Amino acid sequence: MSRLHLMSVYVAVVDAEGFAGGARKLHMSPPAVTRAVAALEERLGVKLLNRTTRYVRMTEAGQKYYEDAKRIIALADEADDAALGINAEPRGQLTVTAPVLFGRMYVMPGIVEYLRRYPAVEVNALFVDRVVNMLEEGVDMAIRIGDLPDSSYRALRVGAVRRVVCASPDYLAARGIPQTPEDLPAHDIILARGVNPANEMRFVRDGQPVTVKLQPLLSISDNNSAAYAAMAGLGITRLLSYQIAEPLQTGKLKIVLSEFESPPVPIHILHREGRHSSAKIRSFVDMMAERLRAELSLN
């Protein structure tokens, strides 16, 4: 068996968290998968997996080998794509990640269009409100909202969103419209922790930062729930503009203190550049970039 084949079997077993799952993924028999992993361990002279009757777990050496093997397999896939030519039909697995609400609103429609256009591709969508380690979790493309740290991935800016303070018209009619950030402590505050991790809101006045300490009436981890509470008239909240695009359009929420907003938050598509541009990644990035840049609520 070739070294690349043994790597592919090992990666499939780890991804499936078991030999049976890896065998199903590769359309191999479980004994053949077990023999392949054993042959790989014998070839390397190290133990890669700890096995029990219930699960398999990577050893420290197995974790490092898994990360390297994923990278090597990805490079081999890119080389195959390059050999087929730039006009090759996209095919294979594509893993995409984005924040939950953003993924539901903007990425999922793009995935549907993409799969209709390229039926030979299988998409795995990972919508989570955390920063995914793309290498460790086998992610081909990520959509990130916020400033990016330095990395070896290529970043393509496709839009920006605002941090907006908002409330329902009924709340503002009853309690008054805040005119400056310093007015906020006198109001009922709903803190969406994904946007406001601390009990404060930060603004900009005449180019200078302004921080207002707050005692929230409600702190909540879910942005949708924070928007719901604000629409129900419970208080004032701050969210990213895309998260409340629909209630802003319908008048269920109104923005206040817009003249004190901090700079917009950038949106990037992040993907592995590689020596060759994979047809499936290139086509998905191109299509998603076009869709996101056309969204008025993101630009």
Side-chain angles (χ1 to χ4, degrees), residues 106 241 244-254 295-297:
Y106 302 108
S241 53
I244 53 171
E246 188 274 335
L248 287 176
Q249 290 174 355
T250 58
K252 296 177 182 177
L253 289 175
K254 289 189 174 182
E295 288 285 349
L296 296 179
S297 60

Side-chain angles (χ1 to χ4, degrees), residues 96-104 107-108 111 125-129:
V96 180
T97 188
V100 175
L101 183 58
F102 192 94
R104 186 186 310 149
V107 182
M108 198 62 230
I111 290 174
L126 182 61
F127 295 158
V128 290
D129 289 327

Side-chain angles (χ1 to χ4, degrees), residues 165 177-187 189 201 203-205 210 212 214 236 256-260:
V165 179
I177 299 174
Q179 301 300 311
T180 70
E182 289 80 4
D183 293 338
L184 288 176
H187 284 267
I189 301 298
M201 291 186 188
F203 300 90
V204 175
R205 179 192 286 119
V210 175
V212 178
L214 298 167
I236 294 176
V256 298
L257 301 176
S258 58
E259 64 269 39
F260 301 101

Side-chain angles (χ1 to χ4, degrees), residues 88-249:
E89 181 77 3
R91 62 181 61 252
Q93 282 197 337
L94 178 67
T95 301
V96 180
T97 188
V100 175
L101 183 58
F102 192 94
R104 186 186 310 149
M105 293 175 65
Y106 302 108
V107 182
M108 198 62 230
I111 290 174
V112 171
E113 177 187 345
Y114 184 81
L115 288 174
R116 286 174 176 164
R117 190 181 301 179
Y118 303 113
V121 178
E122 176 186 337
V123 174
N124 175 32
L126 182 61
F127 295 158
V128 290
D129 289 327
R130 62 179 174 84
V131 177
V132 172
N133 187 312
M134 295 176 65
L135 178 62
E136 290 183 1
E137 300 190 42
V139 172
D140 299 298
M141 194 201 85
I143 296 178
R144 297 273 167 83
I145 302 174
D147 295 321
L148 296 176
D150 292 336
S151 76
S152 59
Y153 291 89
R154 183 183 179 192
L156 181 67
R157 181 160 174 157
V158 292
V161 291
R162 298 156 53 201
R163 298 181 184 92
V164 296
V165 179
C166 60
S168 72
D170 289 344
Y171 176 89
L172 296 173
R175 298 290 300 274
I177 299 174
Q179 301 300 311
T180 70
E182 289 80 4
D183 293 338
L184 288 176
H187 284 267
D188 295 331
I189 301 298
I190 304 161
L191 275 188
R193 289 299 183 188
V195 179
N196 309 274
N199 286 3
E200 62 184 30
M201 291 186 188
R202 297 180 181 181
F203 300 90
V204 175
R205 179 192 286 119
D206 298 327
Q208 299 300 314
V210 175
T211 300
V212 178
K213 300 292 183 181
L214 298 167
Q215 186 60 45
L217 173 68
L218 172 64
S219 297
I220 192 162
S221 60
D222 177 62
N223 295 324
N224 273 342
S225 298
Y228 173 83
M231 286 187 283
L234 190 63
I236 294 176
T237 191
R238 184 170 71 166
L239 293 164
L240 297 179
S241 53
Y242 83 87
Q243 295 167 342
I244 53 171
E246 188 274 335
L248 287 176
Q249 290 174 355

